[in-house]
């Protein structure tokens, strides 16, 4: 891991994967949902770790031990750092701030990634990395047909404001407050940006009704 002031790495980005939630609407841990034979989080994390992100901080919380077990050998990846959020029940902001605290000493740019997006794509991640830091704008987001979507990026000038986010909110407040500071990155080619929140979402994606994951 490098020092943020190192001029040899001016555009390096750390990813923060938010995977601490209790999946109340799903009724079972989303992180462990079977997607084409693999746990959802393992599928997402494989793409994230294969990207050009220099460091990946995975924030766990609810059922953290079971979720770790579902990640198997991914836990040994040299780019990965896992942190656990004991306050996950207080909302997404607590996980985001915990991830930011782990990244901000060494990185001027973070990318926020959601663990419930089964079609997370390293190509999209890499386009953001290549485009947003050179733009000089402290906010970045993927876009489909001009509409912003995930993942998103925040740079050091707005880290203090990100620390002030509270409750079950992420970086959306910053994007609403500073529209002139956003660099959108239109996605080339198909990109399915759906997330999974409910059993109905899972059924639409897989064609199967939801079954709770097998106990470890």
């Amino acid at each position: 891991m490098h020092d943020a002031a190192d001029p040899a790495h001016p555009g390096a980005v750390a990813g923060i994967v938010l995977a601490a939630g209790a999946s109340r609407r799903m009724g079972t841990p989303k992180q462990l949902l079977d997607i084409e034979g693999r746990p959802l989080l393992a599928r997402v994390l494989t793409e994230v770790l294969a990207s050009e992100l220099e460091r990946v901080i995975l924030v766990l919380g609810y059922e953290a031990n079971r979720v770790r077990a579902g990640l198997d050998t991914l836990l040994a990846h040299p780019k990965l750092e896992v942190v656990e959020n004991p306050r996950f029940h207080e909302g997404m902001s607590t996980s985001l701030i915990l991830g930011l605290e782990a990244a901000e000493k060494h990185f001027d740019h973070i990318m926020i990634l959601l663990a419930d997006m089964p079609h997370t794509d390293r190509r999209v991640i890499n386009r953001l990395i290549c485009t947003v830091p050179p733009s000089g704008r402290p906010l970045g987001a993927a876009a489909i047909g001009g509409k912003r979507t995930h993942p998103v990026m925040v740079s050091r000038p707005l880290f203090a404001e990100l620390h002030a986010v509270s409750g079950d909110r992420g970086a959306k407040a910053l994007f609403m407050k500073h529209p002139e500071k956003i660099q959108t990155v239109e996605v080339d080619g198909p990109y399915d940006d759906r997330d999974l929140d409910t059993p109905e979402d899972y059924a639409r994606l897989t064609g199967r009704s939801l079954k709770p994951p097998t106990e470890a």
Side-chain angles (χ1 to χ4, degrees), residues 7 17 30 34 44 78-79 86 144 200:
V17 180
K30 289 192 286 186
D34 184 312
V44 170
K79 288 204 298 190
I144 301 174
E200 292 74 23

Side-chain angles (χ1 to χ4, degrees), residues 77-97:
H77 196 287
K79 288 204 298 190
L80 183 65
E81 176 181 351
V82 181
V83 297
E84 292 192 21
N85 177 15
R87 298 171 54 206
F88 68 86
H89 57 280
E90 297 178 27
M92 182 191 299
S93 63
T94 61
S95 293
L96 179 53
I97 291 169

Side-chain angles (χ1 to χ4, degrees), residues 19-23 27-31 60-67 85 88:
S23 309
T28 191
K30 289 192 286 186
Q31 303 94 323
L60 300 181
Y62 182 70
E63 295 279 8
N65 289 338
R66 287 180 64 199
V67 173
N85 177 15
F88 68 86

Side-chain angles (χ1 to χ4, degrees), residues 108-109 136-138 154-161 181:
D108 290 330
H109 312 280
R137 295 180 178 179
V154 182
S155 297
R156 187 169 297 279
L158 292 179
F159 282 178
E161 291 190 32
K181 296 181 180 180

Side-chain angles (χ1 to χ4, degrees), residues 18 25-26 30-31 33 35 40 44 92 113-120 144 148-151 191-206:
L18 301 177
R25 284 190 286 170
M26 188 66 71
K30 289 192 286 186
Q31 303 94 323
L33 290 174
I35 308 292
L40 172 57
V44 170
M92 182 191 299
L113 301 119
L114 305 181
D116 61 356
M117 293 180 64
H119 299 291
T120 296
I144 301 174
R148 290 199 312 272
T149 185
H150 288 277
Y191 174 48
D192 187 341
D193 66 342
R194 83 179 86 180
D195 59 3
L196 301 182
D197 285 323
T198 66
E200 292 74 23
D201 292 339
Y202 181 78
R204 280 190 290 269
L205 176 70
T206 65

